[in-house]
Amino acid sequence: MRCAVAGGLLAALLILACTGFAPAQAGKSVAITFDDLPVANAGEISQERLVPSEIARLNSSTLAALRRHRAPAIGFVVEATVLAMGKPEAKSILAAWTRDGLSLGNHSYSHADTNGLDLAGIEAEIERGEATIRPVMAEAGQKLRFMRFPMNHTGDTPEKRDGIAALLAGRGYELAASTIDNSDYVFEQAYGRALAAGARDDAGKIRAAYLDFTSLQIDYYAGLSRQVLGYEPPQVMLLHLNRINADAIDEILSLFERKNYRFVTLTEAQADPAYRQPVRFVTRFGPMWAYRWARDRNVVVDGRLEQEPPQWVADYPSKQAK
Ligand SMILES: [Zn+2]
């Protein structure tokens, strides 16, 4: 391009353009991800939750909010839940995700913990996890690209970490990261109990506490990633397809908008250099990625600064809603 000297703001912009310098971050962004499609199995209410019409309602409420906010989310599917629900019904729900321009990823066949499997077992979980999603993605003209392991367990020994990386590469997958966690399953359990008991006031309080906690966690992980990397990369929000999210996703997306995040695909988020370098840190747990990046970079962080969900929510209904 031709470069000329001009005054004021224009000059500043031209200097930026001519030197090729651009800010590393064009504003804050986040990829919204849902685990455990077609529905998260929430222990005591699992039988009720496997009613196809209820699962369809939770998914369509979630999809409607994603559409309203133009959030290009991805849903990670457990094939065993597809089969438990009934494949034709589950397939039509998953096709609704891809029809909306959203994407699907593999979350294993049976939600098995890789810590208890050898590589052959992990490979079988990946392969059998593709049975429904591969054709659904192909029919939508999309490539099956992302694998997220249950509990984010990505290999509890160096050998397994490397073996998993080789398996994923061999099948054309990229490992899906997670950078913001809001312990939604804790709130989901309390919310489900309140709704089952007809305690609508309590359900409202649990949902309000959930949104407050989500806001705290977004800010916490933004700060943590800046501490570890020196900047805030595109974030990856980890949610589950459950009742509290079906009812609160609209407000969660508004929360991100108020904090000036824009919504991007997981592919766009993980194009950031922070994600391009494989994590070396080995753990049997499933920490968010900033903790892993901290270990790889020898940055000391204090995980005790991260808050827990309110105790009354974890103990509900034995403690009263606040
Ligand atoms: Zn899961």
Side-chain angles (χ1 to χ4, degrees), residues 134-258:
R134 191 173 279 291
V136 168
M137 286 286 277
E139 280 163 30
Q142 294 195 52
K143 180 181 179 293
L144 182 58
R145 178 193 285 256
F146 287 104
M147 175 82 208
R148 177 180 280 152
F149 289 102
M151 289 79 74
N152 273 318
H153 289 175
T154 52
D156 55 343
T157 63
E159 295 72 31
K160 210 188 268 185
R161 172 201 63 199
D162 293 345
I164 284 174
L167 279 179
L168 293 185
R171 300 188 75 85
Y173 281 107
E174 190 171 329
L175 183 67
S178 302
T179 68
I180 305 175
D181 160 55
N182 64 354
S183 301
D184 60 351
Y185 51 91
V186 175
F187 294 87
E188 165 71 3
Q189 179 163 288
Y191 193 65
R193 287 174 180 170
L195 290 182
R200 299 208 69 87
D201 281 0
D202 285 0
K205 287 172 188 167
I206 292 161
R207 182 167 138 175
Y210 177 52
L211 289 167
D212 287 347
F213 187 70
T214 300
S215 178
L216 268 181
Q217 291 295 87
I218 294 169
D219 296 344
Y220 173 77
Y221 281 109
L224 188 67
S225 60
R226 281 196 300 271
Q227 183 195 346
V228 174
L229 300 174
Y231 71 99
E232 186 179 355
Q235 302 286 1
V236 180
M237 180 77 206
L238 170 63
L239 296 165
H240 292 83
L241 202 306
N242 58 26
R243 186 147 43 175
I244 197 165
N245 283 326
D247 291 348
I249 184 62
D250 198 57
E251 290 159 289
I252 290 173
L253 296 174
S254 295
L255 198 55
F256 275 111
E257 287 162 350
R258 283 202 298 280

Side-chain angles (χ1 to χ4, degrees), residues 35-36 107 111 240:
D35 280 9
D36 297 1
H107 194 40
H111 212 267
H240 292 83

Side-chain angles (χ1 to χ4, degrees), residues 103-124:
S103 199
L104 298 173
N106 190 341
H107 194 40
S108 82
Y109 170 72
S110 71
H111 212 267
D113 183 347
T114 58
N115 290 351
L117 297 173
D118 60 13
L119 280 176
I122 295 170
E123 184 171 26

